[in-house]
Amino acid sequence: MGSNPASWATGGPVTSPFARPSGVRGRAAGRFMRWTNKQDQEDVLGVLDVRPQDRVLEVGYGPGGLLRLLTTRTEAGVIRGVDPSAEMRQAATRANRGAVRTGRLTLSLGTADRTGLADQSVDRVVSVNNVAIWPDLEAGLRELHRVVRPGGTVVIAWHGGTSPGRIARRLRLPDDKLNRIEGTLGNIFGEVTRTELRSVVVFKATR
């Protein structure tokens, strides 16, 4: 994809350190994400509705905050994560070293459109605040459709919601982009719901 892949949402190259954190700026971006995404991750966890022994995949795990919630607050059997940043893989491993050590959590380098997982190998997929920086929305969602089992769910969240803070307001997508996410999910999955939480808009699709 090159060092600065384009965003499907903007059409321009993604130069933000949040897209693929590395080096000093990447570590700072990771700390910032850990703080700013905390409430969003808490809210999205409820929508994800993880059941005992579910196999869960997080796309774009960053410093590992949602992974921490998945390992401590759910009875998921297996948790997988893919992220394009080696820096974030190290940070997420440190934040979740116990679950990594036992084998319950596996962290890999990858992207929404290249997860490296087998067909129909997970029950639930979640992505929080990174869908707008994917290079190819359709390719990413088709890949998630491939890896989730029939009857499984995919939850995609992005900044916005009913009471967004300053950062979420600045990053929220215009209606045409939100409609494109919803429409593409509908074309690929069929059943889609769209919900406004406090600071994120959440799309939930069932295969």
Side-chain angles (χ1 to χ4, degrees):
M1 293 187 298
S3 58
N4 290 316
S7 156
W8 70 267
T10 67
V14 179
T15 57
S16 166
F18 298 100
R20 187 172 293 185
S22 63
V24 174
R25 292 182 71 208
R27 288 190 291 274
R31 290 191 293 271
F32 187 80
M33 285 188 283
R34 185 180 295 113
W35 172 64
T36 58
N37 286 336
K38 186 175 181 180
Q39 186 60 60
D40 297 346
Q41 293 164 348
E42 295 260 2
D43 292 344
V44 171
L45 186 66
V47 177
L48 192 61
D49 189 28
V50 177
R51 307 295 175 84
Q53 298 309 307
D54 270 353
R55 298 161 295 171
V56 182
L57 167 66
E58 182 182 5
V59 174
Y61 50 74
L66 180 55
L67 295 172
R68 181 71 173 171
L69 295 179
L70 287 167
T71 60
T72 60
R73 297 194 189 179
T74 78
E75 297 181 62
V78 175
I79 302 165
R80 301 289 303 269
V82 294
D83 193 287
S85 168
E87 195 85 54
M88 291 299 96
R89 184 184 185 185
Q90 294 174 0
T93 298
R94 289 193 299 269
N96 298 278
R97 56 172 58 90
V100 172
R101 188 182 304 115
T102 64
R104 186 181 178 211
L105 173 61
T106 301
L107 301 178
S108 304
L109 296 179
T111 57
D113 60 341
R114 295 185 180 182
T115 65
L117 272 66
D119 292 354
Q120 301 180 16
S121 58
V122 295
D123 301 290
R124 301 185 188 275
V125 181
V126 61
S127 162
V128 179
N129 294 340
N130 58 72
V131 64
I133 58 177
W134 296 357
D136 189 324
L137 176 65
E138 287 78 8
L141 295 182
R142 290 192 183 282
E143 171 72 352
L144 303 189
H145 181 272
R146 181 186 70 80
V147 301
V148 75
R149 65 166 177 80
T153 58
V154 172
V155 173
I156 306 289
W158 182 254
H159 303 282
T162 59
S163 302
R166 179 176 57 85
I167 294 171
R169 286 197 304 273
R170 182 169 56 85
L171 295 173
R172 68 192 315 164
L173 290 172
D175 284 343
D176 65 314
K177 303 302 182 184
L178 295 175
N179 291 339
R180 182 174 168 185
I181 297 173
E182 185 174 10
T184 305
L185 279 167
N187 291 337
I188 295 172
F189 287 86
E191 183 180 343
V192 182
T193 60
R194 176 171 163 180
T195 306
E196 299 275 343
L197 300 183
R198 279 173 289 184
S199 57
V200 284
V201 54
V202 178
F203 303 88
K204 186 173 184 178
T206 302
R207 178 172 177 182

